Amino acid sequence: PSYDAYWQRINLEARAPEMAVPALNIGGWYDVFLRSTIGSYKTMTEEAATETARSGQRMIIGPWPHGWNQSALVGDQDFGPDALIDVEPLLLEWFDYWMKDGDPPDSKPIRIFVMGENVWRSESEWPLADTEYRPFYLHADGTLSPQAPSGQGQLGYKYDPADPVPTLGGNIMEPSLRGPYDQAPLDQREDVLRFLTEPFTEETEITGPVSAEIFAETIAKDTDFMAKLIVVKPNGVAFNLLDGVIRARYRKGYEEPELIEPGKVYKYTIDMWATSYLLSPGDRLRVDITSSNFPRLARNLNTGAPFAKTVEMEVAQQTIHLSEHFASRVILPV
């Protein structure tokens, strides 16, 4: 799990300066490889060996899981007839240009599917140039708002690795679990903290990278913290948009594992990858905080032992700080 010499040797993304070929990068918002699709596009446009390769990158991201462009119905959500693209003409246009002196592709380098509005849009850069990164703060009363908390506040839960929160949607390879799903089956779990906005009063588009900054403490030497962004429709259906995780020992990066001090407050930055969704008036956003998402993510057994080297488990008491001094938040690209 650490980013050591073994992984460094086979990380192709880090070898972009050696590559001199254009590429058509195709992925989905619910694809298990979304981070790498965007990462490869960005790295190649900035670091590839030639200008032809740098300017020749193209990226298409639809409302799909892995195994893209197969159905407009993904998980519980139907993204409409425009969700599917006519792939063969697109590929022929691409290869005709680079291999047979055909006409250049007649579009901007990026095409994204804006979920919620369910339309395709062409863009020139990623992240989008006019993005405003807005913090939404988690409050002890369960609200989520642009206003920072004042005074003191915290909430807690117990994380038991023997009873992890089950995976319900998201970027996972397993076909029966991936995509957007109504989160209602998890509503009764007490090891999930939920924070909800007021209904949005106007259309609001969230397109780009999403992250969370969580101030937390635990009684364990190592544990996980997870954040999930959820769209709550006026009829009460709440489906997952994206999520992310941080393992405490990797809070400084995957090259610098370091166990934590039990009872000490740390700041954890959670990369939640990226999305594109248009909120309609009446929609709400919810952020769920927990410590497991199994089997999508391997359970942290809370002992501090090396990964996959023990079967011993410990229950961890987790505390999320929601105060003026420790203001936990999610940062949205609006």
Side-chain angles (χ1 to χ4, degrees):
S2 298
Y3 184 58
D4 54 18
Y6 173 86
W7 293 108
Q8 291 167 11
R9 285 194 300 269
I10 59 177
N11 178 8
L12 297 182
E13 203 171 303
R15 298 176 62 183
E18 303 173 34
M19 300 184 196
V21 291
L24 178 59
N25 304 272
I26 304 179
W29 297 124
Y30 291 96
D31 192 339
V32 67
F33 296 114
L34 173 64
R35 196 216 66 81
S36 295
T37 301
I38 296 174
S40 295
Y41 173 83
K42 285 288 291 179
T43 304
M44 287 292 289
T45 57
E46 296 168 358
E47 302 177 16
T50 65
E51 173 57 29
T52 297
R54 291 190 293 272
S55 62
Q57 301 298 311
R58 296 291 184 272
M59 182 169 69
I60 300 171
I61 303 180
W64 311 311
H66 195 63
W68 49 271
N69 201 45
Q70 294 181 351
S71 173
L73 180 64
V74 182
D76 285 342
Q77 296 295 308
D78 189 337
F79 292 108
D82 291 338
L84 301 183
I85 59 175
D86 197 355
V87 178
E88 289 184 354
L90 184 150
L91 297 178
L92 285 172
E93 176 188 59
W94 170 258
F95 286 115
D96 280 350
Y97 175 64
W98 289 110
M99 302 176 72
K100 298 177 68 175
D101 297 322
D103 294 331
D106 184 23
S107 66
K108 296 178 181 179
I110 299 171
R111 288 185 67 200
I112 58 173
F113 189 87
V114 183
M115 299 179 291
E117 188 177 12
N118 293 349
V119 298
W120 287 96
R121 195 169 69 221
S122 296
E123 297 287 350
S124 298
E125 68 283 298
W126 182 269
L128 310 190
D130 55 352
T131 301
E132 176 189 351
Y133 293 93
R134 294 184 191 172
F136 279 68
Y137 294 90
L138 284 58
H139 294 263
D141 62 358
T143 58
L144 178 68
S145 76
Q147 288 73 44
S150 59
Q152 301 299 311
Q154 63 184 43
L155 292 172
Y157 61 93
K158 289 184 179 180
Y159 161 48
D160 182 357
D163 182 26
V165 177
T167 297
L168 185 57
N171 302 57
I172 185 173
M173 190 70 80
E174 168 55 47
S176 66
L177 297 175
R178 63 194 184 190
Y181 281 91
D182 186 359
Q183 300 296 293
L186 304 180
D187 283 352
Q188 303 307 312
R189 293 194 66 100
E190 297 181 354
D191 52 357
V192 180
L193 302 180
R194 302 167 183 86
F195 304 87
L196 185 65
T197 67
E198 292 294 321
F200 282 76
T201 58
E202 58 184 22
E203 287 188 340
T204 303
E205 183 182 318
I206 299 170
T207 295
V210 179
S211 62
E213 297 174 351
I214 304 298
F215 290 90
E217 65 179 286
T218 179
I219 64 171
K221 298 177 182 178
D222 186 36
T223 194
D224 291 349
F225 292 103
M226 302 179 186
K228 181 186 293 185
L229 185 64
I230 295 166
V231 175
V232 182
K233 304 302 288 186
N235 63 2
V237 172
F239 66 88
N240 53 299
L241 202 55
L242 74 171
D243 58 75
V245 60
I246 184 71
R247 179 148 290 188
R249 71 172 68 199
Y250 294 116
R251 65 197 179 278
K252 297 180 179 179
Y254 287 99
E255 296 174 278
E256 301 182 64
E258 179 184 277
L259 296 179
I260 56 177
E261 180 181 333
K264 181 178 178 179
V265 179
Y266 292 91
K267 178 183 178 180
Y268 298 99
T269 299
I270 303 175
D271 180 4
M272 300 172 70
W273 295 9
T275 193
S276 182
Y277 191 89
L278 182 69
L279 295 161
S280 298
D283 288 350
R284 298 179 183 222
L285 285 177
R286 195 176 91 196
V287 171
D288 286 4
I289 303 295
T290 186
S291 290
S292 52
N293 182 354
F294 185 78
R296 184 191 168 210
L297 298 167
R299 297 167 297 168
N300 194 317
L301 304 188
N302 296 330
T303 64
F307 180 73
K309 297 295 185 180
T310 182
V311 295
E312 296 182 6
M313 302 182 189
E314 295 180 4
V315 177
Q317 177 65 42
Q318 320 287 51
T319 302
I320 308 299
H321 288 262
L322 313 160
S323 66
E324 183 176 5
H325 185 60
F326 295 123
S328 297
R329 61 185 188 169
V330 61
I331 301 171
L332 303 179
V334 177

